[in-house]
Every structure is written in C-alpha cells, then in structure tokens.
Amino acid sequence: MRRTLIAGNWKMNGSLAANSVLLEGISAAAPTDCDLAVCVPAPYLSQAQAALCASAVLWGAQDVSEHESGAYTGEVSASMLKEFGCTYVIVGHSERRSYHGESSELVARKALRALTTGLLPIICVGETLQEREAGLTDAVVVSQLAPVISAVGKQLADVVIAYEPVWAIGTGKTATPEMAQQVHNLIRTTLAKTSVDAADVVQILYGGSMKPDNAKDLLAMSDIDGGLIGGASLKSADFLAIASAVHAA
Ligand code: 13P
C-alpha cells in the first residue's frame, strides 16, 4: 500500500515573518495518516528545519545542481540540501524546464545526483496545452520519463514522480480525476517496463490547481498517490484541508 504524500511547492514566495506563521500553522495540525512536506526557497531551509524538526512534517528544496561541488556560481548542491535536513528536492518543474531551458536529460542527472546524496527527488513531468490538444500527452510524458528511468537504474523505487499538466499550473483549471488517472496509469505502466516492483511502490503525485475542493476526487483515483501543491500550500488552512482530503478519499 503506497502512503499518500502531500507536498507544498512554495515557489519563489515567502518572507521570514510569513513563513514563520505558515510553518507553525502546518506543524501544529499535521495529520498522521499521510506524509506532509514543504519545498521552500533555499534561503529558508534553515528556518524550515528549525520550525519543523520536532514535527512529523518533512521539508525539501525546489531544485538542485547536477554537480557535486565547484565553480558553479549560483548553484546549490545536493550535499548542502542534505546538511539542512532536506528529505525531498523537486527536479524538472515545468517552470525550470521553460524559463531555464532544462532538458529531460539534465533533469535525469539532477535526480541521480539527489539519489546518490540520499535525497528523494520529486521529478515533474507534464504536457503543455498545445501538446495535449495535438494528442501528444502520452508521448511527451513517456519521453520526459525515459532519461530518468535509464539514469536512476536500480534506485527507481526511491523516486517520486509528479504529473503536472502545464496548462493546469496556477490557472485554476485542473485535470479531471479521470484525465489525471489516465496519465498516472501510463506513468506507472512505463516504470513497470523497467521494474514491476519499483512501479508498484513509486508515489505518483498530481499537481496543477489542486485545492481543498477538488483534492478528494483526485486523491480517490487508484494511481494518484498525493499532490504537489503550489498556490494552496501558501495558506496553512488550505494546505491542511488538502491533507485531510486524503482521509476522505
Ligand atoms: P498550483 O497548485 O499553484 O497550480 O501549482 C502547482 C505546481 O506547480 C506545484 O509544483
């Protein structure tokens, strides 16, 4: 039985004062029947660690360098994230793919760097509206997964995949539970071609306008094992309401 993971992606939002309220609100009422995590901007990792270390809530980062260390100005290494107690790191978010030109091969190298350093990568895949309308959703998702599957090899069971249709991110338009389930099933079937055992345990999260009012129906689908939440992760009440939908699903 896969455990549900509700992970917040704060993106480039927050301040010391606002984070403090948010982290306290989340940790004070965190449910125990699912895993809860927040992926915060790198400068706030120390704050998240201090606020959450005595709670069941996990934390992580939003990106990581493919390199171990060295002359890579502006980059943050996996071992640095590890030093701040991160469990997770998001890699290949569509905002990084589109604004920073990240290829699926680079995303795969970042995922491997995370895994070899003891971090669990949350690897994002998903099609644009244009690709969906052209009937290319399955092909796009499979091609984004392929380099990851070949790079991570035997550690496939330790990755988390997030299906985030680009057209649903921050738009208020969400995939229907059936649309999301179809792609989640495709992802699991694709992973199973490499390892049936790994495919069975990998958590596949849905991301894209997941809110308290649609979370229950999405989380009720058999291959949706949680959510990667953007906007609604910035208010503790909304984030916790999504987490309690796990129970209701
Ligand atoms: P929204 O929940 O704001 O649509 O963002 C989803 C997302 O990009 C999470 O990584």
Side-chain angles (χ1 to χ4, degrees):
M1 188 63 190
R2 292 179 296 271
R3 213 172 139 76
T4 303
L5 169 63
I6 302 294
N9 173 10
W10 287 7
K11 309 193 180 185
M12 199 173 74
N13 292 295
S15 66
L16 287 171
N19 304 345
S20 162
V21 175
L22 180 53
L23 291 167
E24 197 178 304
I26 294 169
S27 60
T32 51
D33 55 355
C34 67
D35 290 332
L36 217 56
V38 289
C39 293
V40 307
Y44 297 135
L45 283 171
S46 167
Q47 184 187 23
Q49 183 178 35
L52 300 175
C53 62
S55 80
V57 183
L58 302 165
W59 61 94
Q62 299 172 10
D63 185 34
V64 67
S65 172
E66 65 171 306
H67 303 289
E68 201 171 337
S69 66
Y72 301 101
T73 301
E75 295 268 73
V76 174
S77 75
S79 56
M80 293 171 190
L81 300 182
K82 199 69 192 149
E83 279 200 303
F84 286 93
C86 289
T87 297
Y88 296 104
V89 60
I90 297 171
V91 295
H93 192 280
S94 66
E95 287 148 18
R96 295 214 58 88
R97 290 179 190 260
S98 65
Y99 305 146
H100 300 270
E102 293 196 5
S103 66
S104 296
E105 288 70 25
L106 173 61
V107 173
R109 293 196 296 275
K110 290 183 172 196
L112 183 59
R113 177 65 63 199
L115 283 169
T116 53
T117 316
L119 296 164
L120 303 177
I122 300 176
I123 303 159
C124 302
V125 296
E127 81 288 0
T128 62
L129 184 60
Q130 219 181 10
E131 289 163 342
R132 174 161 283 269
E133 287 175 349
L136 294 172
T137 300
D138 292 8
V140 167
V141 169
V142 168
S143 76
Q144 289 172 333
L145 283 176
V148 170
I149 293 171
S150 65
V152 307
K154 289 199 173 9
Q155 287 177 280
L156 190 58
D158 296 327
V159 308
V160 177
I161 308 285
Y163 169 55
E164 298 207 311
V166 178
W167 48 270
I169 296 175
T171 57
K173 286 187 210 151
T174 183
T176 63
E178 294 71 26
M179 278 160 85
Q181 166 61 23
Q182 185 268 323
V183 181
H184 281 233
N185 184 261
L186 169 77
I187 293 170
R188 203 173 305 285
T189 314
T190 306
L191 301 181
K193 288 187 184 144
T194 298
S195 164
V196 173
D197 291 347
D200 201 39
V201 298
V202 167
Q203 291 164 310
I204 307 176
L205 315 182
Y206 171 80
S209 299
M210 195 189 258
K211 309 280 179 205
D213 62 354
N214 60 24
K216 178 169 159 280
D217 291 344
L218 286 160
L219 294 169
M221 304 311 282
S222 59
D223 287 300
I224 302 186
D225 308 314
L228 185 56
I229 323 295
S233 72
L234 298 173
K235 282 196 194 136
S236 59
D238 287 353
F239 190 54
L240 291 170
I242 292 174
S244 13
V246 171
H247 187 58

